[in-house]
């Protein structure tokens, strides 16, 4: 008997045991996390995101009076924080952290694509809003600010509203474009990088997120937004989401074979 015989026997026994156990079908979709776990991931992720945005804004204003440096510090922290949160929670809930993204996915599912159901929307969106408010309060608490103090930072100018349309349309185009081209594995880097860039190239500094907009109304600090400006921002974000989906439909239009059937 050679020295490899016991190993071969053990491998054969292991194979026999594995053969008797239920195995997933080749190419099967992994089971999704329970809805309560996904909603919790959306709540915690959105809370952490807003805590990063608000907290880094407070820290920046305490360290320097240079507004450009303050924005640089705020945007840099947001890029790294968002990227980490997508990597961590993406496998659980998809890491939306954004009602505009959730609603866009719901609409895509209604049109026959992959996305979330109405029941999931009803769980995700309130979780995102609650998380955003909690994140703003947490950031204020960490820096000794009043836990809730309505922002006085007016952002109602028309050019800022246009900036929100552009920021949100670009975000939706990016996310759903990555999905259409089977490149969602790049989402943590791509989405975080886009938000970091949009801080600087949009007039509104790219809120691009209704839940985050609501949360930031609860803090009268660098990242805040006056409650009176919130409806306008959310309205423009929803318009931007529609524009983004329209761009996805046009740019990533599915081709057809010579027989007229959609190509793979």
């Amino acid at each position: 008997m050679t020295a490899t015989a016991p190993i071969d026997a053990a491998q054969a026994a292991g194979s026999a045991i594995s053969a008797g156990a239920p195995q997933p079908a080749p190419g099967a979709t992994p089971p999704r996390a329970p809805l309560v776990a996904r909603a919790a991931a959306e709540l915690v992720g959105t809370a952490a995101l807003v805590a990063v945005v608000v907290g880094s804004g407070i820290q920046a204003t305490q360290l320097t009076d240079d507004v450009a440096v303050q924005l640089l510090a705020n945007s840099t922290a947001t890029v790294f924080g968002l990227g980490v949160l997508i990597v961590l929670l993406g496998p659980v809930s998809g890491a939306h952290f954004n009602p505009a993204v959730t609603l866009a996915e719901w609409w895509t599912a209604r049109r026959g694509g992959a996305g979330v159901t109405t029941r999931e929307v009803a769980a995700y969106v309130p979780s995102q809003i609650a998380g955003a408010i909690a994140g703003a309060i947490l950031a204020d608490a960490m820096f000794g600010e009043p836990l809730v103090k309505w922002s006085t930072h007016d952002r109602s100018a028309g050019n800022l509203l246009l900036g929100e349309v552009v920021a949100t349309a670009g975000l939706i185009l990016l996310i759903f474009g990555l999905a259409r081209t089977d490149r969602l594995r790049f989402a943590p880097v791509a989405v975080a990088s886009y938000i970091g860039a949009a801080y600087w190239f949009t007039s509104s500094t790219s809120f691009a997120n209704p839940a985050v907009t609501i949360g930031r109304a609860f803090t009268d600090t660098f990242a805040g937004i006056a409650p009176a400006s919130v409806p306008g921002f959310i309205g423009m974000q929803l318009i931007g989401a529609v524009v983004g989906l329209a761009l996805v439909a046009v740019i990533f239009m599915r081709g057809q074979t010579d027989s007229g059937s959609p190509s793979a």
Side-chain angles (χ1 to χ4, degrees):
M1 182 178 290
T2 64
T4 59
I7 298 176
D8 293 340
Q11 290 174 338
S15 298
I17 293 172
S18 298
Q23 299 295 318
T29 302
R32 301 184 72 183
L35 182 56
V36 65
R38 284 179 276 143
E42 287 297 301
L43 188 152
V44 171
T46 311
L49 175 59
V50 174
V52 168
V53 172
V54 174
S56 62
I58 297 173
Q59 183 79 283
T61 56
Q62 291 181 350
L63 295 175
T64 180
D65 293 327
D66 189 322
V67 178
V69 175
Q70 292 171 357
L71 186 61
L72 178 61
N74 194 211
S75 61
T76 302
T78 301
V79 167
F80 287 124
L82 179 57
V84 168
L85 290 169
I86 295 173
V87 170
L88 176 63
L89 299 175
V92 180
S93 67
H96 296 187
F97 314 145
N98 187 336
V101 173
T102 300
L103 291 172
E105 276 210 7
W106 171 78
W107 177 254
T108 300
R110 282 175 55 88
R111 303 287 292 178
V116 295
T117 64
T118 301
R119 178 168 176 260
E120 289 169 323
V121 171
Y124 274 34
V125 173
S127 297
Q128 293 158 353
I129 294 173
I133 295 171
I137 293 173
L138 175 62
D140 282 340
M142 287 192 293
F143 287 92
E145 300 287 338
L147 296 186
V148 175
K149 185 177 181 182
W150 300 116
S151 176
T152 56
H153 193 163
D154 179 73
R155 299 178 189 264
S156 59
N159 63 303
L160 302 184
L161 298 177
L162 176 60
E164 278 303 286
V165 175
V166 172
T168 311
L171 178 63
I172 297 298
L173 174 62
L174 172 62
I175 294 171
F176 287 83
L178 290 175
R180 282 284 183 96
T181 56
D182 196 26
R183 291 191 174 98
L184 274 176
R185 61 189 178 279
F186 298 120
V189 172
V191 173
S193 297
Y194 172 79
I195 292 298
Y199 255 86
W200 290 90
F201 80 77
T202 64
S203 56
S204 63
T205 66
S206 184
F207 284 48
N209 185 327
V212 168
T213 302
I214 292 171
R216 288 168 68 165
F218 283 73
T219 177
D220 192 21
T221 58
F222 179 78
I225 176 172
S229 301
V230 169
F233 259 51
I234 292 177
M236 294 303 104
Q237 290 157 0
L238 295 178
I239 292 173
V242 172
V243 172
L245 284 177
L247 291 173
V248 171
V250 172
I251 296 172
F252 299 98
M253 188 181 301
R254 302 189 186 279
Q256 292 186 333
T257 62
D258 292 338
S259 63
S261 59
S263 62

